[in-house]
Amino acid sequence: MAYGPASVVGLFAVVGGAVSLVAGLAGLRHVWRLRGGGVAAWALIKPARQTSGPTGAGDGHVEDERPVRAHAGARPRLQFTTEDERVIEVVCPVPLTRQQPLTIGKHVLIRYDPADPRTVVIHRRERLARDYGFAGAGLAWMFLGLLVLVFAP
């Protein structure tokens, strides 16, 4: 059986759709896992920090970090206390938007994984539309690819 150009296009569509579907489902699983089994905490929103580099001999160990003016796309940091009284500081997992700005100095409700407290989800900012979009687009591409594979000459 000879494979024509349509079969190759259909195969690429199925494989690309499968990758998109897996990416979307992985993002949704991450959010669902933290929503269901994550621990709720209030996090302080702190400004983004960029390091000015090591002041020592250049061995890669930063001895003195000082805040520098962050660029426009920098994400703020979130500082919260875990159940076992550890203070954790992470970079905000979602970018800033005009519709939902994060105000420096305010508190925001988060959910974190007790096994790995650096894994957080901000309440009502999970960006589920993006993950559903990836999964839906993946299904659509897989369906179209299968149609091409089945009905193409």
Side-chain angles (χ1 to χ4, degrees):
M1 178 178 177
Y3 296 106
S7 297
V8 173
V9 169
L11 184 64
F12 275 116
V14 169
V15 170
V19 169
S20 178
L21 177 65
V22 168
L25 291 178
L28 288 170
R29 182 181 174 275
H30 171 75
V31 171
W32 292 334
R33 183 176 54 87
L34 286 179
R35 273 187 179 177
V39 178
W42 287 97
L44 173 67
I45 302 169
K46 298 175 75 174
R49 175 183 289 178
Q50 292 181 343
T51 58
S52 59
T55 58
D59 59 350
H61 178 69
V62 179
E63 295 177 9
D64 180 29
E65 288 185 354
R66 16 181 236 272
V68 178
R69 171 175 264 172
H71 59 86
R75 293 184 180 180
R77 296 172 293 144
L78 303 174
Q79 181 181 9
F80 62 97
T81 305
T82 63
E83 288 180 322
D84 56 354
E85 301 301 321
R86 289 184 294 161
V87 176
I88 305 290
E89 190 171 293
V90 297
V91 176
C92 183
V94 294
L96 300 175
T97 62
R98 288 186 178 167
Q99 293 84 12
Q100 294 180 326
L102 294 173
T103 307
I104 305 301
K106 300 282 184 172
H107 288 84
V108 64
L109 183 62
I110 64 167
R111 289 201 170 272
Y112 69 90
D113 184 2
D116 180 17
R118 300 193 62 82
T119 305
V120 300
V121 170
I122 300 177
H123 182 67
R124 295 189 165 235
R125 295 176 192 254
E126 292 94 351
R127 299 179 69 189
L128 292 176
R130 177 193 62 183
D131 295 328
Y132 279 117
F134 267 100
L139 280 175
W141 277 108
M142 288 178 67
F143 180 72
L144 289 174
L146 288 174
L147 283 178
V148 169
L149 285 172
V150 171
F151 295 112

